[in-house]
Amino acid sequence: MLNKYKETADFINLKIKHQPEIGIILGSGLGGLGNKIKNPIFIKYSDIPNFPVSTVEGHSGQLIFGELGGKQVVAMQGRFHYYEGYDMKFVTFPVRVMKFLGADKLIVSNAAGGMNPKFRQGDLMIINDHINNFPEHPLRGKNIDELGVRFPDMSKVYHAEYIRIAEEIAKANNISIHQGIYIGSSGPTLETPAEYRLFRTFGADATGMSTVPEVIVAHHQGMKIFGMSVITNESVRENPDEITTHEEVQDVAGLVEPKMTKIIVGLIERM
Ligand code: HPA
């Protein structure tokens, strides 16, 4: 794999002018932040050697290099999900490549279902910890010692200073925000009522089908991490006759995206 990461980074390096300092992963319906990047260079996933190709509707599938909040960034518009059939080495491949390109900070976003009874549809949650509930671990297999240690400590994954700054920005902009624990599962099914209750019993506040693998790999290779969830649906529906659809998840994410973008751009300025 090491050679593949290098090969992909070499290909990308020929196309970009500046080395990115920050990697950003934009979740379902949250791609709008990508349009704020100045002097953008777009590279489609399908044009990048060794990259998998995203298959889900609403995930446009490209890297965007350029300037945001005064920093050089690389954003993934569309990510690779485990439920699409990729194994974890490919779900996390772009995060490895980001590090090879020079990024030592990672911002991840996602759409998530809220189990915390205080959370409402359309709320934002800063991720301050996570639970890995995926059936496959992204670091399983021979460790690449050049990238990180065999047994990474996971007690300080989400960078405390970034959380503090994000809280400050939210307050200054009158954006109400929560902090909480994200549990990542395989999907593609959403949870049964019993599963949502189980996850709540685990201590999780929100659930989704991404983020945890990428964060584990980013942490393994020493990146500083900030994560944010948009609560697109509540685990207990006010109207029990309604169900959760992908369209609803994307619509709510799209509506909340400007608030999330405000916080993320403010954070990047201060990173
Ligand atoms: N469960 C899992 N993934 C999700 C959800 C959910 O309720 N909402 C958005 N992504």
Side-chain angles (χ1 to χ4, degrees):
M1 286 311 277
L2 193 58
N3 285 335
K4 284 205 165 120
Y5 304 141
K6 283 182 182 155
E7 187 181 271
T8 303
D10 287 346
F11 170 88
I12 292 171
N13 267 323
L14 293 174
K15 306 212 171 262
I16 60 176
K17 296 195 189 77
H18 306 279
Q19 183 173 305
E21 181 187 336
I22 303 163
I24 307 169
I25 304 178
L26 301 169
S28 289
L30 299 169
L33 183 147
N35 306 328
K36 288 218 155 32
I37 296 174
K38 289 188 208 122
N39 304 318
I41 294 174
F42 302 95
I43 312 180
K44 285 203 203 82
Y45 296 160
S46 52
D47 293 337
I48 304 176
N50 306 322
F51 248 54
V53 178
S54 188
T55 59
V56 193
E57 215 184 304
H59 295 257
S60 34
Q62 58 183 359
L63 291 181
I64 311 174
F65 290 85
E67 195 194 311
L68 188 67
K71 306 274 161 62
Q72 289 298 324
V73 303
V74 51
M76 289 182 72
Q77 221 168 28
R79 60 148 61 86
F80 303 106
H81 297 88
Y82 186 71
Y83 65 73
E84 293 176 82
Y86 306 112
D87 78 31
M88 283 299 186
K89 289 279 175 302
F90 287 96
V91 170
T92 58
F93 191 88
V95 177
R96 289 292 191 207
V97 173
M98 283 176 179
K99 182 71 193 272
F100 277 85
L101 292 170
D104 60 358
K105 304 174 183 82
L106 181 71
I107 298 173
V108 280
S109 62
N110 60 55
M115 280 94 59
N116 184 319
K118 295 205 180 96
F119 290 7
R120 289 291 155 270
Q121 185 178 53
D123 283 356
L124 285 168
M125 181 187 92
I126 296 171
I127 303 173
N128 61 19
D129 203 351
H130 77 221
I131 297 171
N132 179 14
N133 191 48
F134 282 89
E136 187 193 335
H137 199 285
L139 301 179
R140 180 170 168 265
K142 190 173 167 5
N143 187 55
I144 306 177
D145 297 332
E146 291 93 325
L147 302 181
V149 298
R150 170 76 290 188
F151 301 109
D153 177 272
M154 295 295 283
S155 60
K156 294 185 192 72
V157 174
Y158 297 89
H159 195 58
E161 180 66 3
Y162 294 167
I163 294 177
R164 195 189 59 73
I165 295 170
E167 288 273 7
E168 235 176 70
I169 296 165
K171 202 166 182 189
N173 289 282
N174 275 318
I175 299 172
S176 79
I177 200 157
H178 308 285
Q179 277 189 41
I181 298 167
Y182 176 92
I183 182 166
S185 294
S186 143
T189 46
L190 285 90
E191 288 70 18
T192 63
E195 287 165 345
Y196 281 125
R197 282 194 301 272
L198 174 71
F199 288 172
R200 184 66 188 145
T201 316
F202 280 173
D205 298 289
T207 177
M209 306 174 195
S210 68
T211 303
V212 170
E214 294 118 309
V215 163
I216 289 172
V217 163
H219 183 67
H220 176 249
Q221 59 193 11
M223 294 172 94
K224 287 186 185 166
I225 298 163
F226 178 77
M228 186 168 266
S229 295
V230 173
I231 306 301
T232 55
N233 52 287
E234 298 168 27
S235 62
V236 181
R237 287 217 161 243
E238 208 173 315
N239 177 354
D241 294 334
E242 286 174 6
I243 61 161
T244 303
T245 63
H246 186 56
E247 289 68 36
E248 178 187 28
V249 167
Q250 286 200 293
D251 288 349
V252 175
L255 286 173
V256 183
E257 191 270 335
K259 281 202 268 186
M260 185 196 78
T261 294
K262 181 124 206 148
I263 294 170
I264 290 181
V265 174
L267 173 64
I268 291 173
E269 283 168 1
R270 294 169 60 180
M271 267 179 159

